Structures are given as structure tokens and as C-alpha cells.
Amino acid sequence: MQLYLPIADLPVNVFLVLAMGAAVGFVSGMFGIGGGFLMTPLLIFIGITPAVAVASVASHIAASSFSGALSYWRRRAIDPALASMLLCGGVTGTALGVWTFTQLRALGQLDLMIALSYVVLLTAVGSLMFSEGLRALMRTRRGTVPPRRTHNWIHGLPLKMRFKRSKIYLSVIPVVVVGIMIGFIGAIMGIGGGFILVPIMIYLLRVPTSTVIGTSMVLTLVTMLFATMLHAVTNHLVDAVLALILMVGGVTGAQFGARAGQRIRGEQLRLLLGLLILSVGIRFAIELVIQPSDLFTIREMGVSG
């Protein structure tokens, strides 16, 4: 069943897009992440232009993050003070990212920038997460106690603030900087950034795992909602029809993914997630190195076919 997407300006198979939404929703539910790092490349690979894919997926991530953030709020697993500091940077980074997005589009370099960003970011993060998950799995099998976490130079920075819910005393400088980075990356690449934010908060900022996911979801919700509004007003690239189909599939798949994730150990989840992120990055690299023109001509091929 073909459906014409007005902003993307091409027909797509509704069941294919629904299946993609459900698959990414399953992954999101299993790993507790937004799934934009997977959804945006999939849309590009089926012919959606990178600009429309990034702008439309932002709304999908915002919608999927809302229910998760609400659930964590009811369980008091969100640190309001920490979320506020992250949002101070996140909103700024998102605005800067959308401005950069618009400038790159005007220069005709946006598609290449998005592809290169995915190759560099996903291969780096995927490799780190895969290796860390593999080490954790080996420690578990050997019965080795994981190394004790110690404070680093970040905890010596000035302008400290006490975050009561997370029970930490930390400088607001790295928190705001992290927010800026996540907002900027999300606006340009169409990702929520949870797979980057959560490890940074746990391993660098030493935020307890009890409040990490819920707090990161608040940042994802607000920054992606803000990015959607800016993309719609500034670039007119948000395809509401595409976003709606993805939301329907995503909500459905997330329910099954959450159940599956509860049956897998934490180190196995990190290993699988790292492998998945790395695979997407390698796929982009292959497209750029072996067939650099195909990544940006699929759309025309899909329309003519």
C-alpha cells in the first residue's frame, strides 16, 4: 500500500514504514533509548532525503520520550535540578544546531555532513560501548569484581551545586556543556542522544543509575520538541504524515521491546547496543567509501521506480 509523503515528496510503502517504526520501537524499549540513531539512517536508506529524515524523526523521538519521562516522573526517578541544568545547555545547543543545519543546507553540504557525522559518531561510540560491554561480560563470567569508580578532574570544577535527588555535589559547568553538546548533535543528526548522554552521566559525572535514564529522557523530550518546532518554522521539513506512521509503529514495538529487555542482563544489553550502533556506522562508511553517490541518489531512484 503506497502513501504519498507531502514534505518528503515521494510515495512510500505504509507497511514498510510501520515495520521500521515497530522495529526501532522494539530496540528503543529494549535498550531504553530514543532510537533516532537507527531510524534516521533507515529512512535515508529507503529514499527519504537526510534533511527531511532528521527533521521528521525529531518529532517521533519527542513523542516516544514523553511516555517514558512521565513514567519515570511518577516513580520519582528524575532529578529536577539536574534536568534543569541540562536543559539550559540543551535548548541553547538545539537552537545552535538548527541554525547550523540551515546554513549547511543553504550551502548544499547538509547531506554529506549528516552522513559523515553518523560515520564518525556511531563508529566511535559503538566501538567504545561494544568493548566496555565485552569486558563487563568477561568479568561476570570470571566472577571478577568491577573496578571501583573514583572521582575525576570534573568534580574539582567550580560553581558546584547540590543535586538532592541524585545525591551528588557537582559543578554546573560540565552539566551545561553536556546539554549543549547533546542538543546540538540531536538537531543536526536527528537523534535523541540518549546512547551518548547516559554513559557520560554515569561514567564521567558519576550520576546514580537510579536517576540517569529518567533525567536523560526529560532532556531528550524537550530538546527534540524544540528541534521539531524550529525545523518546522525555519526549514519547513517536518513531514507530519511520516512522523505519525512512525509513532504508531514505534509505540507498538516499544511495548514488546521493554518486556524483552527485562530478560537480558545489563552487560549483554550494552554489548548488543554497542554492536548495533557500530553496525549502523559501518553501513554509512561503506556507502560513502564504496558507492558515495548512492547515499544521496536513492531518493530519485525510488521515485522513478
Side-chain angles (χ1 to χ4, degrees):
M1 178 181 173
Q2 296 289 318
L3 179 66
Y4 181 77
L5 301 178
I7 303 299
D9 192 26
L10 82 164
V12 294
N13 188 304
V14 176
F15 298 111
L16 174 62
V17 178
L18 274 173
M20 288 169 52
V24 174
F26 182 86
V27 173
S28 300
M30 176 179 288
F31 298 112
I33 56 177
F37 75 92
L38 184 58
M39 179 59 75
T40 301
L42 286 176
L43 292 177
I44 294 174
F45 292 147
I46 68 168
I48 308 295
T49 57
V52 174
V54 168
S56 301
V57 167
S59 60
H60 172 254
I61 297 173
S64 62
S65 299
F66 176 75
S67 60
L70 186 62
S71 175
Y72 279 99
W73 177 265
R74 289 172 176 170
R75 287 154 47 187
R76 297 179 62 82
I78 293 177
D79 190 321
L82 183 59
S84 298
M85 290 296 101
L86 285 170
L87 286 173
C88 288
V91 171
T92 303
T94 301
L96 181 60
V98 172
W99 179 83
T100 304
F101 182 99
T102 304
Q103 297 303 312
L104 289 171
R105 185 172 176 235
L107 295 172
Q109 300 298 317
L110 179 62
D111 291 359
L112 179 60
M113 181 63 183
I114 292 174
L116 289 176
S117 297
Y118 267 99
V119 171
V120 174
L121 182 64
L122 296 189
T123 51
V125 174
S127 299
L128 290 174
M129 292 189 70
F130 179 78
S131 60
E132 194 279 332
L134 187 61
R135 288 196 298 269
L137 188 62
M138 295 300 294
R139 285 197 300 266
T140 301
R141 291 186 175 181
R142 295 172 183 172
T144 307
V145 178
R148 184 180 179 182
R149 298 176 185 174
T150 57
H151 289 291
N152 50 45
W153 61 270
I154 291 178
H155 292 80
L157 294 175
L159 299 177
K160 290 188 176 182
M161 177 177 175
R162 193 171 301 281
F163 300 99
K164 296 181 179 180
R165 187 68 59 84
S166 297
K167 298 179 180 179
I168 57 174
Y169 187 54
L170 181 68
S171 169
V172 299
I173 296 175
V175 178
V176 174
V177 170
V178 168
I180 292 174
M181 180 186 69
I182 297 299
F184 182 82
I185 293 174
I188 291 182
M189 299 178 62
I191 58 178
F195 68 97
I196 305 173
L197 179 60
V198 171
I200 288 178
M201 291 176 68
I202 292 176
Y203 297 110
L204 291 182
L205 304 184
R206 300 292 188 253
V207 180
T209 54
S210 59
T211 58
V212 162
I213 296 180
T215 305
S216 70
M217 279 190 172
V218 172
L219 178 65
T220 299
L221 169 61
V222 177
T223 54
M224 289 295 97
L225 186 60
F226 188 44
T228 299
M229 294 171 57
L230 291 180
H231 279 306
V233 173
T234 306
N235 301 305
H236 309 288
L237 291 173
V238 179
D239 196 309
V241 177
L242 174 61
L244 181 60
I245 299 173
L246 292 175
M247 288 178 196
V248 173
V251 170
T252 304
Q255 304 302 316
F256 295 97
R259 296 175 184 174
Q262 294 173 356
R263 302 174 183 175
I264 304 177
R265 293 203 305 267
E267 60 272 12
Q268 293 176 328
L269 281 174
R270 294 197 297 273
L271 184 67
L272 291 173
L273 180 58
L275 184 60
L276 180 61
I277 295 173
L278 182 60
S279 300
V280 176
I282 292 175
R283 171 63 193 275
F284 257 107
I286 292 174
E287 291 286 348
L288 285 174
V289 174
I290 299 180
Q291 297 175 316
S293 62
D294 286 1
L295 187 62
F296 310 118
T297 57
I298 296 177
R299 179 175 180 268
E300 287 75 14
M301 292 168 58
V303 173
S304 62

